[in-house]
C-alpha cells in the first residue's frame, strides 16, 4: 500500500509488476570520465566510489556472478521475487558501445531479471546508445538515472563535477523524449548552497520530464578532496542534524512536481568510510521519520508546486 504523502518507488514497480521486485547492484568495472582524464583526473570532490558499492559487487567479477550472489541473498527469503539489475558504480554508459550492450544483455538474460536501471552522468549518453535504450525500453523495464547533484553551475564547478546543469537538462529531455523512464539524483547540502538554493532545485527539476528523483544528504567520505576541505574550511559546509534534514526533505517534496516518484531521501555509506553525518539510522527508520513529519505538518508532495 502506498502512503498518502509522497509517491514511492513501489508505485512505479506496482504499475509494471504483479510480484515483488528487488534491485541488485552491479559494479561492471567501468571507469568514469571525471577520473580517467577525459574530463578530469581527480573526480568529483566528494567521490570515493567504494562508498556506494555493496560488498558483493566486487570489481573483477562478472555481471552474472554478481547477480548470482545478489539474487541468492534475497531468493532464500522470497522465492517468488524478481530482480532489476542496477548498474550503479561509476559511469555505466562510458565504454565501447558493443561492450556496454553485451553487459546489459548479460544481465537481462539472467533468470528472473526483469529490467535494468542504469546510473550515469548527463554528459555520457551518446546518441547511438540512447537509440539502443529506446528500443530496450519497449521490451523491458528500464530507468536511466542521471547524477545531476545540483542545478547550480557554481556548485558543479566547485565540486569538480565536469558538466553543467544545461547538460543535465539536455540529457534528461533527450532521454525522456525517447519514451524512457528518466531519473535524477541530487545531493542536498553541497558546500556554499543555502537552504533556499537547495529548495530551488525542486522548482527547477519539477519542470523536467522526470519519472524518478533520488535525494541524498551530503556525506563526507574518508580519502576525498571534500574531506580535506572540511578539515580546513568547515564553515563552507552545512551538515544537517537529522531532524533539520527531515524538514528540508518535506519542504523539498512540497515544492516538487506531484507526478514524480520520490525514490529515496538518504544514502548510507559504510561506517568505516564515513566521516559525517553519522545519524545511525537505517533507511526504513529514516523513511518512517519522514512520514511522521509529513503527517505532523499535514502536508504532501506537490502542495506548493507551481506549474
Ligand atoms: S561521483 Fe560519479 S561522476 Fe563523480 S568521479 Fe565519482 S564516479 Fe565519477
Amino acid at each position: 500500500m502506498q502512503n498518502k504523502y509522497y509517491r514511492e518507488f513501489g508505485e512505479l514497480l506496482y504499475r509494471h509488476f504483479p510480484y515483488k521486485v528487488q534491485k541488485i547492484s552491479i559494479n561492471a568495472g567501468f571507469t568514469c570520465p571525471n577520473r580517467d582524464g577525459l574530463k578530469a583526473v581527480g573526480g568529483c570532490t566528494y567521490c570515493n566510489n567504494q562508498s556506494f558499492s555493496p560488498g558483493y559487487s566486487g570489481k573483477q567479477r562478472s555481471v552474472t556472478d554478481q547477480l548470482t550472489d545478489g539474487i541468492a541473498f534475497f531468493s532464500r527469503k522470497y522465492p517468488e521475487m524478481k530482480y532489476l539489475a542496477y548498474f550503479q558504480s561509476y559511469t555505466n554508459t562510458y565504454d565501447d558501445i558493443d561492450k556496454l550492450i553485451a553487459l546489459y544483455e548479460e544481465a537481462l538474460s539472467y533468470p528472473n531479471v526483469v529490467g535494468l536501471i542504469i546510473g550515469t552522468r548527463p554528459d555520457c549518453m551518446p546518441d547511438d546508445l540512447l537509440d539502443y535504450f529506446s528500443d530496450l525500453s519497449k521490451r523491458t523495464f528500464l530507468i536511466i538515472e542521471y547524477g545531476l547533484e545540483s542545478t547550480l553551475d557554481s556548485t558543479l564547478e566547485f565540486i569538480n563535477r565536469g558538466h553543467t546543469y544545461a547538460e543535465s537538462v539536455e540529457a534528461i529531455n533527450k532521454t525522456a523524449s525517447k519514451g524512457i523512464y528518466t531519473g535524477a539524483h541530487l545531493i542536498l547540502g553541497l558546500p556554499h548552497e543555502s537552504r533556499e538554493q537547495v529548495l530551488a532545485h525542486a522548482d527547477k527539476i519539477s519542470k523536467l520530464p522526470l519519472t524518478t528523483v533520488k535525494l541524498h544528504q551530503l556525506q563526507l567520505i574518508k580519502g576525498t578532496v571534500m574531506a580535506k576541505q572540511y578539515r580546513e574550511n568547515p564553515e563552507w559546509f552545512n551538515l544537517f542534524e537529522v531532524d533539520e534534514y527531515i524538514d528540508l526533505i518535506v519542504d523539498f517534496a512540497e515544492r516538487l512536481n506531484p507526478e514524480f516518484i520520490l525514490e529515496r531521501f538518504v544514502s548510507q555509506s559504510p561506517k568505516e568510510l564515513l566521516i559525517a553525518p553519522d545519524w545511525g539510522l537505517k533507511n526504513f527508520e529514516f523513511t518512517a521519520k519522514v512520514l511522521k513529519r509529513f503527517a505532523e505538518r499535514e502536508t504532501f508532495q506537490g502542495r506548493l508546486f507551481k506549474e
Side-chain angles (χ1 to χ4, degrees):
M1 203 178 82
Q2 302 302 310
N3 76 72
K4 59 183 182 183
Y5 303 110
Y6 70 91
R7 300 185 75 178
E8 296 175 61
F9 190 55
E11 181 185 327
L12 183 63
L13 295 178
Y14 186 74
R15 258 188 251 156
H16 286 265
F17 305 113
Y19 35 70
K20 262 183 181 299
V21 175
Q22 172 67 43
K23 287 185 218 169
I24 303 292
S25 289
I26 303 288
N27 178 348
F30 298 122
T31 177
C32 163
N34 211 20
R35 288 175 160 258
D36 72 1
L38 186 77
K39 291 275 174 177
V41 282
C44 307
T45 54
Y46 55 84
C47 174
N48 171 341
N49 206 264
Q50 277 180 50
S51 65
F52 52 90
S53 300
Y56 53 74
S57 298
K59 194 172 176 186
Q60 307 306 320
R61 306 183 61 234
S62 72
V63 166
T64 299
D65 285 351
Q66 291 177 56
L67 285 169
T68 302
D69 287 0
I71 289 174
F73 179 81
F74 291 101
S75 63
R76 276 191 289 273
K77 204 164 168 195
Y78 307 105
E80 305 304 320
M81 191 174 255
K82 300 202 189 291
Y83 302 93
L84 300 174
Y86 179 21
F87 285 75
Q88 181 180 21
S89 302
Y90 289 89
T91 303
N92 293 285
T93 55
Y94 183 55
D95 209 325
D96 171 73
I97 186 167
D98 294 330
K99 184 178 166 202
L100 290 168
I101 292 173
L103 289 167
Y104 306 145
E105 296 290 340
E106 179 182 340
L108 280 172
S109 66
Y110 196 92
N112 292 326
V113 170
V114 292
L116 297 182
I117 303 174
I118 310 284
T120 192
R121 293 167 53 91
D123 57 353
C124 274
M125 187 54 80
D127 287 343
D128 47 357
L129 188 59
L130 198 55
D131 289 340
Y132 162 78
F133 283 137
S134 177
D135 291 342
L136 186 65
S137 70
K138 295 183 182 83
R139 69 177 158 99
T140 194
F141 182 89
L142 174 70
I143 302 176
I144 305 293
E145 191 178 280
Y146 289 111
L148 274 59
E149 316 316 354
S150 175
T151 66
L152 290 174
D153 285 342
S154 53
T155 303
L156 294 172
E157 197 173 322
F158 186 78
I159 64 175
N160 195 37
R161 186 66 197 161
H163 66 77
T164 60
Y165 180 57
E167 286 174 282
S168 300
V169 171
E170 189 190 345
I172 288 167
N173 282 332
K174 268 172 101 170
T175 306
S177 74
K178 301 263 184 190
I180 302 167
Y181 284 151
T182 308
H185 176 271
L186 289 169
I187 299 175
L188 305 190
L190 285 166
H192 303 304
E193 287 195 356
S194 67
R195 195 173 196 283
E196 183 46 38
Q197 283 173 321
V198 170
L199 294 177
H201 297 325
D203 304 332
K204 290 192 214 165
I205 66 167
S206 287
K207 299 190 180 88
L208 302 177
L210 289 168
T211 304
T212 60
V213 173
K214 275 183 174 173
L215 307 174
H216 286 178
Q217 80 281 26
L218 177 66
Q219 297 184 101
L220 292 175
I221 304 298
K222 289 180 187 163
T224 60
V225 173
M226 208 174 260
K228 186 166 178 284
Q229 288 174 337
Y230 181 65
R231 270 198 310 276
E232 293 168 1
N233 301 92
E235 71 280 6
W236 292 353
F237 294 81
N238 178 12
L239 294 179
F240 300 100
E241 296 297 331
V242 65
D243 288 335
E244 197 187 357
Y245 184 70
I246 288 168
D247 267 315
L248 183 76
I249 290 291
V250 175
D251 289 341
F252 193 99
E254 284 184 318
R255 287 163 70 155
L256 195 65
N257 190 323
E259 296 296 315
F260 294 176
I261 299 284
L262 196 36
E263 191 178 342
R264 56 182 303 164
F265 313 114
V266 279
S267 69
Q268 273 181 302
S269 293
K271 252 192 169 342
E272 63 277 14
L273 291 175
L274 183 66
I275 299 171
D278 187 3
W279 295 332
L281 288 174
K282 301 227 181 315
N283 203 22
F284 74 92
E285 294 169 327
F286 188 89
T287 302
K289 279 179 173 288
V290 170
L291 284 170
K292 184 162 172 277
R293 196 72 188 117
F294 269 108
E296 285 164 357
R297 288 178 49 177
E298 298 181 350
T299 191
F300 51 87
Q301 179 185 343
R303 191 177 70 83
L304 302 176
F305 168 68
K306 297 185 200 80
E307 286 281 358

